[in-house]
Amino acid sequence: MARSDKNGKVSKGAADVDKYLKDAAGLDTDREKVIGQHIGYRYDVNLLPDYDKLTPFLKDYMEFMGWDDLNWLEDVHMGYEAGQPAIFDRNINGWVRIPKSMKLPGNQQDRDMLARELLIRFQTSPNHPLHELNKAYRKF
């Protein structure tokens, strides 16, 4: 597995941060080759968030929520769907693709921080599918 130091630099011999952008299929394991699709939850779970890389939005969000850490956001990572950067949204059980025009940072730590911010922004926007469900089924 790739390891990053506190500056987000990938250690020597580590996987390329753009691997799944270059190889859309990303079929590395025997199981993936059998089923014909990439298994997205193969990220380094030991890679703790580097709090020096928090975006201004995430700093404000954590302060507003009264959190000392990223809480439920720690396991949110920049993933890839069909060769496009994406974030998995558990609420809709699907991938939310990042706009092609968005420039991605050059290391995984910064990409993960960006993914966390974008997920919060999407989940709180009127474009999120749960927004319509809330309006339709809210009792109070």
Side-chain angles (χ1 to χ4, degrees):
M1 280 263 152
R3 299 273 183 220
S4 297
D5 65 16
K6 71 176 193 162
N7 297 317
K9 292 183 180 175
V10 178
S11 63
K12 195 172 190 175
D16 179 6
V17 72
D18 289 329
K19 177 186 179 8
Y20 297 111
L21 295 175
K22 296 173 186 172
D23 177 14
L27 306 180
D28 294 330
T29 66
D30 291 337
R31 177 67 180 142
E32 289 177 330
K33 290 174 183 165
V34 168
I35 64 175
Q37 66 183 31
H38 168 67
I39 300 170
Y41 288 103
R42 291 185 297 132
Y43 306 106
D44 189 353
V45 295
N46 298 311
L47 185 62
L48 295 174
D50 180 353
Y51 285 87
D52 291 336
K53 296 188 174 288
L54 284 172
T55 66
F57 175 86
L58 286 174
K59 285 179 187 174
D60 291 344
Y61 182 75
M62 287 171 56
E63 184 178 325
F64 177 80
M65 298 300 286
W67 293 346
D68 294 326
D69 58 29
L70 283 170
N71 201 330
W72 65 274
L73 293 168
E74 283 187 354
D75 64 348
V76 174
H77 302 282
M78 179 72 69
Y80 303 91
E81 179 189 45
Q84 296 295 316
I87 308 160
F88 191 78
D89 183 348
R90 291 187 181 116
N91 291 323
I92 62 172
N93 196 32
W95 290 94
V96 180
R97 289 190 184 179
I98 306 302
K100 289 183 180 184
S101 61
M102 183 172 281
K103 183 170 173 25
L104 294 177
N107 65 69
Q108 194 61 45
Q109 283 278 359
D110 286 332
R111 287 183 183 191
D112 291 346
M113 288 298 179
L114 177 63
R116 293 170 180 122
E117 177 176 336
L118 293 174
L119 181 63
I120 292 168
R121 288 181 182 270
F122 177 62
Q123 288 181 341
T124 58
S125 80
N127 296 328
H128 195 276
L130 291 180
H131 182 77
E132 289 299 316
L133 288 173
N134 185 23
K135 286 193 317 189
Y137 295 104
R138 182 175 217 139
K139 293 183 180 181
F140 306 102

